[in-house]
Amino acid sequence: MQLLLIHSDYIEYETKKRTPVAEEIESSMKRGCMEDALTAFIAVESYDEADPDDAVKNAATEIRKTAGQVKAGRVMLYPYAHLSSELSKPAVAVDVLKKLEETLSSDYEVKRAPFGWYKAFKISCKGHPLSELSRTLRTGKDVGSEGNKKDVVKEGVEDVGKGAEVVSEALKSEEKAVSHWHILTPDGELLPAEAFDFSEHTDLKRFVDYEISKSRAVDRIPPHVELMKRLEIADYEPGSDSGNMRFYPKGTLMKRLLEEYVIDTVSKRGAVEVETPVMYDMNHPTLKKYLDRFPARQYSIESDKRSFFLRFAACFGQFLMNRDMTISHRNLPLKMVEMTRYSFRREQHGELVGLRRLRAFTMPDMHTLCGAMDSAITEFKNQYVMCMDVLADIGLDRDYEVAIRFTRDFYTDNQEFITELVKTVDKPVLIELWDSRFFYFVIKFEFNYIDTMNKASALSTVQIDVENAERYGIEYTNKNGDQIRPTILHCSPSGAIERCIYALLEKAHLTSEAGGVPTLPTWLAPTQIRLIPIADRHIKYAEGIARAMPGVRVDIDNRDETVGKRIRAAGREWIPYVVVIGDKEVENGVLSITIRAESVKVEETAPKLHERITSETAGMPYRQINLPMMLSQRAIFFG
RNA sequence: GCCGCUGUGGCUUAGCUUGGUAAAGCGGCUGAUUCGUAAUCAGCAGAUCAUGGGUUCGAAUCCCAUCAGCGGCUCCA
């Protein structure tokens, strides 16, 4: 049996039309209503046929328990076929419902909506944490042993009429404002999307298709999934919830480098780093309002008698911190950043693929408090440019399509500013124009990576928030001593770190499809130099070379394998510099180096090679190798 | 969340239609080999065939459920 229990201010229904399985009812049952009732939507299932009385008993227990918790004295039993795809025979269902009504009526005021009728109904859910509960009840122990289950015919259709309405905040926010789609060119020409000539902008075309027509023709596993495993970067973790990944040492190193890079970058531009909790009180007045809009998207945690949700960004913690701060106009723009490890979003199952979209992910989240809109716009521009630089440094220079989304009012006031943004990236961008504001921001942009499967994933983004300063009570003091609400910018300079890795892998795959050599940026390569000593007697010399390479990740393949095989292994790991060391090198002090990116072999001294790599990775973070230097000592994480 | 496909040693896969001792390559271990740029040779170990139930004398194979992955739909602050 499936139960959906709603603690409601009121529930009312009216029968509209009978279905073939309708029970005969008296006119008094044709309509009904009940105030302050626990409404139990019920689907009796084929499993219950084995022991209907037990099903009644279990359901009664469950309803009593919940009614006790929410202190409800009235119960509405409401047959609802849509809760299950394994419905019982109608006769059994009617029998169970009637017995349930009888059982409960000793303690509660009970009403029962008729079975097998199309009904219009209205319900108002109280909305407190216990007000919505669902339960799956299974009778007996030998569940599933009846052989006739598959033969059950779904004819027990009770349905709701067209007047059905569930009043809830979540649903209200589903309303969509109208979007208008355009392309804005660097010359300042604004065209409806369908009028634009995409022939020289195929990636933009794929992006626009994804956004507007939602074309999703796909027939393959995303290429990065195999790569993330084979390169020992990351993998699924069946012991956790889906979308929560494990990261192997190489992947962890890459993540740390990216994280460090982003934090360094924003710090240089004046951001201060903070740390805030990962979970928040579900019933905190400020947070609740915000949360109510998307109740199904959170992970929730019950602890003692309180409910918490896991953050989906750093907004909560930072805004709560901002509210308690004393801020002067002299402090603006005031930037705070956190590398959220993790942010949590319960994305739908079908969306979770590899590293593209996760339920637990690492995201830099920066918030900037600005004064009036003009200073917010100046800051927005700065951060837009910074995001371009960040993606370029990460290795995704111009590998993205731009979307800028704003309200019509904002556009009217700031047309020139938006054209300037487009000029800055110097390529046409997708414009989404809303007639009215229905999010907390008036403008946002994203840089989107478009993969081989034509899926778009947002990387960098900045938004101008005109709502949350008010909601959270954030203020600064202006020159005249007045308390003023700031305008707030939300910025994730790189987007989710895992997603950057996804984009780098997808890009590398694209390169190899096109006949090139797939690579990672040298500053991110888990091993930057692989030394291959030809015989055991060359290992000592190789160790000396490794010691002479400070600030570079070097390892030594000292395994008892042929040179050919070790060369191949280095290639499969995408190691940018591979050095073979034999008698010749030991004698003349020159190294034989294969440069992966250029597919060439060069002869160079160790200091020269060192200088080559340090200049190639200049300005980017360095961390030491995250595995034993000797390959013979390494365990295998995958494969 | 819904619909469909898939799940076999650490990895990649054969076997499943038509039920009857689970097969191979890679990887691992042991030994030989000390090697000059994309897979050295030989031997050994390693699998409750995703999990739970059912049908059957007998299930990797047929049926049901669950879990996970993938694809589609839906959704996306």
Side-chain angles (χ1 to χ4, degrees), chain A residues 165-302:
Chain A
E165 181 191 358
V166 176
V167 181
S168 100
E169 289 302 314
L171 282 181
K172 276 184 192 166
S173 72
E174 302 273 358
E175 299 168 350
K176 282 240 157 172
V178 182
S179 291
H180 303 278
W181 301 95
H182 300 273
I183 302 293
L184 184 55
T185 70
D187 307 329
E189 195 183 0
L190 186 69
L191 296 163
E194 57 276 14
F196 183 74
D197 175 13
F198 286 102
S199 53
E200 284 179 22
H201 304 279
T202 53
D203 280 354
L204 182 61
K205 171 78 176 122
R206 294 193 294 140
F207 177 43
V208 171
D209 283 348
Y210 178 86
E211 285 286 325
I212 302 175
S213 45
K214 307 281 181 189
S215 108
R216 311 261 164 111
V218 163
D219 56 355
R220 288 183 300 147
I221 308 174
H224 80 279
V225 174
E226 195 214 322
L227 290 173
M228 78 183 186
K229 296 181 186 188
R230 217 205 68 219
L231 296 174
E232 293 191 323
I233 292 170
D235 206 343
Y236 298 110
E237 175 50 76
S240 182
D241 188 19
S242 23
N244 289 251
M245 311 298 280
R246 59 162 72 145
F247 278 81
Y248 298 124
K250 292 176 191 169
T252 305
L253 172 75
M254 290 174 67
K255 270 193 76 184
R256 293 297 173 276
L257 287 165
L258 287 162
E259 290 163 15
E260 198 176 322
Y261 164 71
V262 175
I263 292 294
D264 282 356
T265 303
V266 295
S267 299
K268 279 177 201 151
R269 289 166 167 81
V272 293
E273 190 177 4
V274 296
E275 198 171 304
T276 60
V278 294
M279 69 176 84
Y280 293 89
D281 190 337
M282 192 83 85
N283 291 310
H284 186 287
T286 311
L287 304 180
K288 194 178 181 316
K289 233 190 263 175
Y290 201 39
L291 252 193
D292 263 348
R293 301 180 66 184
F294 303 96
R297 290 293 203 158
Q298 285 16 277
Y299 272 115
S300 57
I301 292 182
E302 300 301 317

Side-chain angles (χ1 to χ4, degrees), chain A residues 10-13 31-35 76 109 111:
Chain A
Y10 68 87
I11 160 91
E12 59 183 50
Y13 71 85
R31 59 178 63 213
C33 73
M34 199 172 231
E35 288 192 1
M76 172 69 85
E109 187 187 329
K111 280 191 181 172

Side-chain angles (χ1 to χ4, degrees), chain A residues 558-572:
Chain A
N558 62 333
R559 293 174 303 174
D560 179 16
E561 298 289 354
T562 58
V563 173
K565 186 166 183 175
R566 287 178 286 164
I567 297 274
R568 177 179 151 84
R572 282 177 60 82

Side-chain angles (χ1 to χ4, degrees), chain A residues 412-436:
Chain A
T412 312
D413 298 344
N414 301 285
Q415 205 162 334
E416 213 168 293
F417 159 60
I418 286 166
T419 311
E420 201 185 319
L421 294 177
V422 178
K423 276 206 183 90
T424 308
V425 285
D426 196 26
K427 59 180 185 179
V429 313
L430 175 65
I431 300 291
E432 182 175 8
L433 192 61
W434 295 304
D435 288 332
S436 59

Side-chain angles (χ1 to χ4, degrees), chain A residues 472-488:
Chain A
Y472 283 81
I474 302 169
E475 295 174 332
Y476 70 93
T477 311
N478 74 1
K479 281 179 191 161
N480 305 323
D482 307 320
Q483 294 303 111
I484 308 288
R485 301 272 185 230
T487 310
I488 304 177

Side-chain angles (χ1 to χ4, degrees), chain A residues 13-171:
Chain A
Y13 71 85
E14 183 184 349
T15 55
K16 291 289 187 189
K17 202 179 155 204
R18 43 186 310 148
T19 70
V21 297
E23 64 168 315
E24 291 306 323
I25 53 169
E26 297 170 11
S27 56
S28 66
M29 251 182 116
K30 287 202 168 157
R31 59 178 63 213
C33 73
M34 199 172 231
E35 288 192 1
D36 204 32
L38 181 66
T39 303
F41 292 97
I42 300 171
V44 182
E45 300 181 285
S46 54
Y47 320 105
D48 301 309
E49 293 180 1
D51 190 349
D53 289 337
D54 194 47
V56 171
K57 204 178 83 196
N58 290 340
T61 307
E62 200 56 50
I63 291 171
R64 282 205 168 90
K65 199 173 117 200
T66 305
Q69 281 172 346
V70 302
K71 298 190 176 59
R74 302 194 190 93
V75 176
M76 172 69 85
L77 301 176
Y78 200 106
Y80 207 66
H82 313 286
L83 294 172
S84 172
S85 53
E86 299 284 343
L87 293 168
S88 71
K89 295 193 182 74
V92 177
V94 174
D95 183 48
V96 166
L97 289 163
K98 282 183 174 165
K99 281 187 176 145
L100 189 54
E101 179 182 23
E102 199 179 309
T103 308
L104 289 170
S105 54
S106 57
D107 303 299
Y108 300 95
E109 187 187 329
V110 183
K111 280 191 181 172
R112 183 172 68 82
F115 180 94
W117 291 75
Y118 291 108
K119 299 179 284 288
F121 74 95
K122 280 191 183 176
I123 183 167
S124 164
C125 175
K126 284 183 181 291
H128 58 75
L130 284 174
S131 66
E132 297 170 309
L133 294 170
S134 73
R135 292 281 182 268
T136 299
L137 304 178
R138 290 284 181 267
T139 177
K141 277 183 185 161
D142 51 347
V143 169
S145 59
E146 328 84 78
N148 67 337
K149 237 174 7 188
K150 57 179 175 282
D151 299 322
V152 170
V153 181
K154 293 184 191 176
E155 53 190 278
V157 181
E158 313 94 355
D159 210 338
V160 292
K162 291 193 179 91
E165 181 191 358
V166 176
V167 181
S168 100
E169 289 302 314
L171 282 181

